């Protein structure tokens, strides 16, 4: 067997040569040494012996060998896909390489994270403050559904959005530097779920209210639920040039106090519309402290809930025409107006739905009913016809409810607890089965397909599959190849780590005739709900370092407080002290800050290095300060020194052999 | 090729049968299907074709195939080792399975983490408050060195300790539930590094001051550095029965204002002593705002720094005899007393040392000098003889400096930037080379070994290796088998994720004649410094669920505020409201909390389930409340409702098909 270091060296060189080549093809093209299996240092017979011997020692089956070889990434070879997974109530986003299933990065999104300095620097504190609720800055979120920006219905690799279910917020992540730039708080409701789903050109980010409250979560007794409580669907306008959601151009559509669940934007045939499933049309609010049934009973009484159907392009016109009301500073189209304008409909759907997924061509909407073993497929064309034909009756709020039979294309029985559907490149659909712990594969139907709308097979999962994610499986051009089950329970899958267990992502190969399990990945850093998988070569704009020295990552522009080497200084104005600081291997300048108790201090710190990976950190003991300054970045932190003492600050990123010497002293003399 | 689901099913059953069997042997013994390679559905020739075909498609070399097969863990098969890695300035600890290199859990340690509810519940807020500095509760740490508890010099799998370099704190993690139970702030200094290293029976956790300050980080001008600034070494007493560090029985030894780096406890031959390398004996404090050289120059002037040698058993006696001084509430042995009592010595060591590692037999201490291509090996016996023979001169502080030649056993030239040494089961040592980006393997010498103290070979690393970790490689019985390079730079190893890159852990097989690279693991959730790898079968006491319903994880005893099903209630006393709450799939009781603006609320929440993995979460919008309640746990949270409104609370852990219905309403009427 050859020495590995020789191969690894070769790979580094080839990789360097290939720099800029598409990640997707690099694994195969950059190496191209499969032929060595016959002609190299290992003969076929040696290889067989080696495989046999390791398999016996480690108890590997032939399928295990196959899976190992299909997921292993040699040193320096990049994954073909990146998976962006929500972190659930960790409040973060995970970036995972596929097929290796390695976590490449945790992106601090809603929760302060000191390795990244998120929530510690002035500008990231401001991002968190923007997302305050009732004036309180929060230190967590319940992230559910990441939404990659799209152009013509395909991922464009530029932006990522994600919702906070717990507090009805949306975060914006820039995929040049993988950092969170904005958090917006929904002014109309306090709880969301059907977000962040984007329209085909990222015109809007859809965000649906889950638990109904009075508008803007004001106070009203539960007895007034039907009258005072409301749902809503918000359309956040995204300004690509600014890289920000523009609340001034965003709006909501008022809805009955049903609870909105998952949503999806129409595309292709259904461009301009959106679909959300809606449950608790029973309007249960639980016992209310009395004898009413609890929600899990009260909200499961009716055989049918609704698919909510909104024409968002029409809604945009209606808002433009001034027909919306101002509610807490943002327009809301009243239900009455939405109905009059013909932009809001409901279609009955089987009980307790979860998942409304539009097929790649935009012609159909697949709905899963958690308490129904079927998926129900609606035809967008039939919905339009039912509207045109007036085949509807108003619900208690006057919202038209279309005739079920007129809108349904098909129903396919899949198994127990269907939740969420994804698509591949061969006209197949995949639906998670929470109660059956599996993923069903079935064939889409429609014009020209005789044997469609039919279950093909099922792969067991371990255990309780929630969402699933196929490669670009919710876009107009699904990739096929890989599917991931986001399993909620792990039980015995991994070595015990105490009563709080990881989740389990199971990677499945869907390229062949049979679905094959490739890998079990523990997720022990949060509870992902949904994930999106993007071909890595679509991520064209990732920065290795910031564009120039003295860069402000919040503005994505040169910083006004950047400092060059030799220009470091401390300026005092009364008890306001401003420190213009630089870091470079292995010095922080200035290395001495002389203060008086009570001083207000601002440090502007520039990492003047432009070498890839030459990140510096900055910790100031006792002050809750921990910054990460990537190559070229300028960042700032402000604080008050209210205690006299001696505080050695230092670089927290192990940057060089003399990294421990990269420090300085802040002295605070007693007042 | 067989359908994977058949194999997987088989494995689940076997695993269930084997429950409680040692993890180490499970992979081989529980499966035992290597024989199928010849007799099963895949013939040897098919296998060869399959391997060949996948290797060609994916560009895998024979070495890649070997590595893939040596690291792949089939679904449900548990890793042989657990790696506990510091999270650096993330302030957390990572638990990683070896050889699969999968993150099994991030343990919230010093930084609030909402998935675990750490820093959100009342008891975990109290843990963080215990670690406050100057009265400020901190939200981060710079964790460097995890220390597993030991019995007779071997890991016993019961406790984990870790330091916070930035603020001189130590955290205690209970390895029954993998949760942080205690944070202690060092009252004597503000910055540590040489912690958390345990003595062979976990009598003490060693914690050495890094950047010197006046005692208890009081104010004194830098000009008074030599007179007023001091180092120290703290010995934290661990009370195993209480599961807590006992500050009342802990103490420090005062040291000159040199900077203490890594430490290790003596063992075997050197039991009762400890060793720390000490740099900046030049006493540089940087420019001081003037013309003095910066630290990276000032602290690198002398050819020799010191190995600090302390007899901690003697120190314990001295403290017991009342000869220590009280400094900020904890005893400190003055240098003069330490010298008089013969418990403190220094031995010259080559410049800018990093790493002082005691050999498994305790006879030698291996020191790396970052700016010296050698490791220097000291003989404990020779050190003792030099002390007995009076071969020392006092330094400026009166601390005896032993004669270098009298103490040194050998020096071995390894390469550039040696940092840290680990050991295997074959008498070999492994030393990281930061500047050479590699790991040197060399042979230990000593009595009866003719060809010892000799370099054998080197494996390249990518890139800039800091610490390294061999399986149980710092204990009295190293395991060999696996070695991990904790590489500080990743550069081109992984798909780009913006200017802040992951670290790179490289897993190396050290069982054979050549060191072989097995796996590159990105660490994108912090910057680990040191890690310890423990055989998974040593972790005997891990709880799947808490011992009984209504368990207080902080006290590890039944909770006084646990609530049983049917006993849920809301008690009001003026504007103090106490809610006794339960969660069980799929209901939170009570599901209605009726409040007035200004009420002080305490919720005591019990997860009454005792099924493994049946964790529930609890989020209250707008209140910054996110709890994780594992099976059996009771936890509490207190808050003030200062805003009127309607707040739907819910279970954040996707526990069941009707999980979305597991909610309630908190109403706050205007005052």
């Amino acid at each position: 067997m050859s020495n590995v270091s020789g191969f690894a060296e070769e790979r580094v060189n080839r990789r360097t040569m290939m720099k800029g080549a598409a990640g997707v093809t690099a694994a195969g093209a950059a190496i191209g040494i499969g032929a060595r299996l016959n002609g190299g240092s290992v003969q076929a017979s040696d290889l067989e012996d080696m495989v046999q011997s390791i398999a016996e020692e480690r108890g590997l089956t032939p399928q295990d060998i196959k899976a190992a070889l299909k997921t292993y990434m040699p040193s320096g070879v990049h994954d073909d896909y990146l998976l962006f997974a929500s972190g659930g109530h960790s409040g973060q986003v995970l970036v995972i390489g596929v097929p290796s299933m390695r976590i490449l990065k945790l992106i601090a999104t809603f929760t302060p994270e000191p390795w990244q300095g998120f929530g510690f620097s002035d500008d990231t504190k401001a991002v968190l403050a923007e997302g305050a609720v009732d004036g309180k800055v929060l230190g967590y979120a319940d992230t559910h559904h990441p939404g990659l920006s799209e152009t013509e219905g395909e991922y464009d690799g530029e932006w990522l959005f994600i919702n906070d279910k717990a507090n009805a917020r949306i975060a914006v992540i820039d995929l040049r530097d993988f950092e969170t730039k904005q958090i917006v708080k929904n002014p109309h409701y306090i709880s969301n779920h059907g977000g962040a789903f984007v329209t085909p050109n990222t015109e809007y980010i859809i965000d649906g209210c889950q638990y109904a409250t009075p508008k803007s979560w004001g106070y009203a007794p539960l007895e007034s639920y039907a009258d005072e409580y409301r749902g809503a669907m918000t359309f956040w306008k995204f300004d690509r040039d600014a890289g920000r959601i523009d609340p001034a151009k965003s709006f909501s559509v008022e809805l009955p106090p049903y609870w909105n669940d998952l949503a999806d934007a129409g595309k292709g045939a259904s461009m301009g519309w959106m679909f959300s499933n809606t449950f608790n049309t029973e309007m249960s609010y639980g016992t209310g402290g009395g004898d009413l049934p609890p929600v899990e009973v009260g909200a499961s009484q009716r055989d049918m809930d609704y698919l909510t159907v909104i024409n968002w392009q029409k809604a945009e016109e209606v808002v433009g025409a001034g027909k919306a009301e101002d509610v807490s500073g943002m327009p809301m189209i009243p239900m009455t107006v939405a109905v009059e304008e013909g932009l809001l409909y409901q279609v009955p759907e089987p009980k307790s739905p979860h998942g409304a997924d539009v097929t790649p061509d935009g012609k159909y909407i697949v709905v899963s009913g958690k308490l129904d073993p079927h998926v129900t497929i609606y035809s967008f064309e039939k919905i339009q016809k039912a509207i045109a034909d007036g085949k509807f009756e108003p619900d208690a709020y006057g919202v038209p409810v279309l005739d079920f039979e007129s809108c349904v294309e098909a129903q396919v029985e899949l198994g127990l607890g269907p939740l969420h559907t994804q698509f591949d490149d061969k006209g197949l659909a995949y639906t998670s089965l929470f109660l059956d712990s599996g993923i069903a594969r079935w064939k889409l139907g429609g014009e020209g397909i005789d044997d469609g709308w039919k279950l093909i097979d099922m792969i067991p999962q371990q255990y309780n599959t929630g969402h699933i994610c196929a490669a670009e499986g919710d876009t107009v051009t699904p990739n096929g190849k890989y599917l991931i089950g986001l399993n909620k329970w792990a039980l015995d899958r991994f070595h015990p780590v105490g009563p709080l267990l990881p989740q389990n992502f199971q990677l499945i190969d869907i390229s062949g005739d049979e679905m094959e399990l490739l890998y079990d990945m523990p997720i022990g850093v949060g509870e992902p709900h949904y994930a999106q998988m993007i071909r890595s070569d679509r991520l064209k704009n990732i920065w290795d370092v910031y564009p120039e020295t003295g860069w402000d990552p919040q503005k994505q522009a040169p910083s006004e407080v950047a400092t060059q080497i030799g220009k470091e200084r401390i300026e005092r104005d009364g008890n306001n002290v401003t420190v213009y600081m630089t870091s470079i291997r292995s010095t922080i300048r200035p290395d001495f800050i002389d203060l008086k108790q009570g001083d207000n201090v601002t440090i502007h710190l520039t990492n003047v290095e432009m070498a890839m990976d030459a990140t510096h950190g900055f910790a100031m003991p006792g002050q809750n300060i921990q910054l990460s300054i990537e190559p070229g970045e300028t960042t700032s932190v402000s604080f008050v020194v209210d205690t006299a003492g001696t505080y050695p600050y230092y670089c927290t990123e192990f940057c060089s052999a003399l990294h421990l010497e990269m420090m300085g002293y802040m002295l605070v003399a007693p007042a």
Side-chain angles (χ1 to χ4, degrees), chain A:
Chain A
M1 186 59 51
S2 306
N3 186 316
V4 67
S5 58
F7 281 109
E9 281 304 313
E10 183 167 1
R11 227 174 246 125
V12 173
N13 297 339
R14 290 189 191 226
R15 180 84 212 157
T16 307
M17 276 161 42
M18 291 276 299
K19 199 150 185 175
V24 167
T25 57
I31 313 304
I33 39 184
R36 285 198 210 139
L37 290 175
N38 290 323
S41 59
V42 175
Q43 300 301 315
S45 57
D46 293 349
L47 181 72
E48 194 192 315
D49 287 349
M50 176 186 82
V51 170
Q52 177 86 19
S53 140
I54 299 172
E56 277 181 17
E57 187 191 330
R58 301 195 68 237
L60 302 177
T61 67
Q63 184 64 34
D64 295 336
I65 294 167
K66 191 175 185 183
L69 299 181
K70 286 195 167 191
T71 54
Y72 183 78
M73 299 307 293
S75 182
V77 181
H78 296 186
D79 281 294
D80 301 334
Y81 291 87
L82 293 193
L83 184 75
F84 290 88
S86 71
H89 37 301
S90 79
Q92 315 293 42
V93 168
L94 293 168
V95 187
I96 297 163
V98 180
S100 75
M101 303 308 280
R102 296 174 299 182
I103 297 175
L104 298 174
K105 196 176 219 167
L106 175 150
I107 303 175
T109 310
F110 290 100
T111 302
E113 202 295 297
W115 169 56
Q116 293 160 77
F118 185 77
F120 293 84
S121 63
D122 288 347
D123 59 353
T124 56
K125 275 186 204 165
V127 170
L128 288 172
E130 211 186 343
V133 179
D134 297 341
K136 286 193 196 73
V137 178
L138 307 180
Y140 86 101
D142 186 12
T143 56
H144 273 233
H145 312 112
L148 286 159
S149 60
E150 295 182 12
T151 299
E152 296 184 0
E154 294 192 334
Y155 300 150
D156 56 38
E158 294 189 354
W159 301 93
L160 181 73
F161 312 96
I162 192 157
N163 73 315
D164 167 20
K165 166 172 160 159
N167 305 286
R169 301 183 295 169
I170 302 279
V172 179
I173 294 167
D174 189 332
L175 294 180
R176 287 172 293 187
D177 60 4
F178 285 56
E179 291 190 358
T180 303
K181 302 301 174 186
Q182 184 184 27
I183 297 175
V184 289
K185 170 71 196 95
N186 196 307
H188 294 158
Y189 42 85
I190 188 67
S191 157
N192 71 16
H193 196 190
F197 297 97
V198 302
T199 56
N201 292 294
T202 322
E203 296 91 345
Y204 290 97
I205 299 133
I206 299 168
D207 170 17
C209 173
Q210 183 148 86
Y211 303 122
T213 63
K215 279 177 196 169
S216 305
W217 63 101
Y219 172 79
L222 287 173
E223 293 72 29
S224 65
Y225 188 94
D227 293 334
E228 300 283 342
Y229 285 49
R230 285 294 177 267
M233 187 69 57
T234 299
F235 297 84
W236 291 105
K237 184 73 189 169
F238 185 60
D239 179 340
R240 252 184 217 262
D241 293 332
R244 294 291 186 279
I245 286 172
D246 185 351
K249 293 184 179 164
S250 305
F251 63 89
S252 297
V253 177
E254 183 191 13
L255 296 175
Y258 315 145
W259 297 356
N260 293 287
D261 197 53
L262 292 166
D264 201 359
K267 49 188 139 180
S270 52
M271 176 66 187
W273 292 71
M274 67 78 59
F275 312 91
S276 169
N277 49 30
T278 302
F279 69 117
N280 193 20
T281 54
E282 298 87 347
M283 297 193 284
S284 167
Y285 49 80
T287 66
D291 294 331
L292 294 169
V295 173
E296 86 270 25
V297 176
S300 307
Q301 313 242 0
R302 297 181 61 197
D303 281 340
M304 289 285 189
D305 285 297
Y306 296 137
L307 177 72
T308 297
V309 178
I310 296 174
N311 183 337
W312 61 262
Q313 287 183 333
K314 179 75 182 169
E316 189 178 43
E317 287 171 27
V318 165
V319 173
K323 296 179 187 169
E325 287 177 2
D326 180 289
V327 175
S328 301
M330 199 163 92
M332 181 185 279
I333 302 175
M335 268 190 291
T336 49
V337 175
V339 171
E340 272 169 32
E341 298 282 346
L343 64 87
L344 172 63
Y345 299 90
Q346 295 172 144
V347 192
E349 61 178 26
K351 60 197 301 179
S352 295
H354 188 85
D357 302 291
V358 179
T359 54
D361 59 11
K363 291 184 179 171
Y364 304 100
I365 305 104
V366 179
V367 167
S368 311
K370 290 177 297 190
L371 302 183
D372 181 312
H374 300 84
V375 283
T376 300
I377 298 105
Y378 299 84
S379 155
F380 181 72
E381 196 181 335
K382 288 186 177 178
I383 288 172
Q384 292 303 311
K385 188 161 188 310
I387 292 170
D389 295 349
K391 288 200 172 175
F392 50 77
E393 297 290 334
D395 74 355
Y397 294 90
V399 179
V401 179
L402 303 181
D403 176 60
F404 177 70
E405 296 296 338
S406 302
C407 299
V408 168
E409 181 74 18
Q411 287 193 299
V412 186
E413 185 170 343
L414 300 180
L416 298 180
L419 283 191
H420 178 228
T421 298
Q422 292 269 285
F423 306 96
D424 74 4
D425 55 339
K426 297 180 187 121
L428 305 180
Y430 300 80
T431 300
S432 53
L433 302 172
F434 184 85
L435 296 173
D436 268 350
S437 289
I439 301 174
R441 178 157 71 164
W442 52 283
K443 186 167 181 181
L444 294 174
E447 221 176 284
I449 302 171
D450 290 336
D451 58 344
W453 312 129
K454 204 174 73 179
L455 175 65
I456 299 171
D457 57 358
M458 200 269 274
I459 184 165
Q461 292 283 281
Q462 289 164 336
Y463 306 89
N464 294 3
T465 315
H467 280 272
I468 54 176
C469 172
E472 308 200 344
D474 58 7
T475 73
V476 298
T477 52
N479 275 215
K481 194 148 182 163
Y482 297 117
L483 174 71
I484 295 170
L486 282 67
N487 302 303
K488 309 313 292 181
W489 286 39
L491 290 171
D492 59 349
R493 291 296 91 187
F494 309 108
H495 192 283
V497 287
L500 181 62
L501 300 182
Q503 313 294 310
N504 183 11
F505 277 15
Q506 290 192 300
L507 176 68
I508 300 154
D509 183 344
I510 55 170
S511 61
D513 289 340
E514 280 185 86
M515 292 188 278
E516 293 187 328
L517 178 67
L518 294 181
Y519 199 86
D520 275 32
M521 179 203 188
I523 302 270
V525 292
E527 194 216 12
H529 287 256
Y530 183 39
Q532 288 186 329
M533 197 190 316
I534 180 173
R535 259 173 37 213
S536 59
D537 67 345
R538 285 196 193 267
L539 293 149
K540 293 186 179 71
N541 303 319
I542 302 174
W543 289 335
D544 284 345
V545 299
Y546 281 107
E548 57 183 84
T549 306
W551 191 261
D552 177 340
Q554 187 56 19
K555 294 188 181 143
Q556 298 293 34
S559 166
E560 288 164 18
V561 290
T563 310
Q564 294 176 313
I565 288 282
K567 303 285 186 186
E568 301 89 352
R569 62 201 184 276
I570 300 175
E571 293 176 356
R572 177 177 282 277
D573 176 13
N575 67 344
N576 296 315
V577 177
T578 307
V579 183
Y580 293 86
M581 184 180 269
T582 64
S583 60
I584 186 170
R585 282 165 284 171
S586 307
T587 315
I588 303 175
R589 297 186 180 93
D591 65 354
F592 175 56
I593 306 173
D594 194 19
L595 300 174
K596 272 264 185 215
Q597 200 175 346
D599 280 344
N600 304 309
V601 186
T602 297
I603 297 176
H604 302 300
L605 174 49
T606 300
N607 179 352
V608 296
E609 307 210 40
M610 291 300 281
M612 184 178 173
D613 216 352
T615 291
H616 294 292
F618 180 82
M620 178 66 82
Q623 304 290 345
N624 207 33
I625 294 172
Q626 159 51 42
L627 308 175
S628 176
I629 319 101
E630 283 90 56
E633 178 174 354
T634 296
T635 193
S636 303
V637 63
S638 304
F639 56 105
V640 178
V641 287
D642 44 17
T643 311
T646 301
Y647 300 91
Y649 53 90
Y650 68 98
C651 171
T652 39
E653 187 88 23
F654 196 158
C655 55
S656 59
L658 291 176
H659 154 77
L660 289 176
E661 286 80 356
M662 190 164 171
M663 60 82 68
Y665 279 101
M666 178 177 87
L667 264 65
V668 183

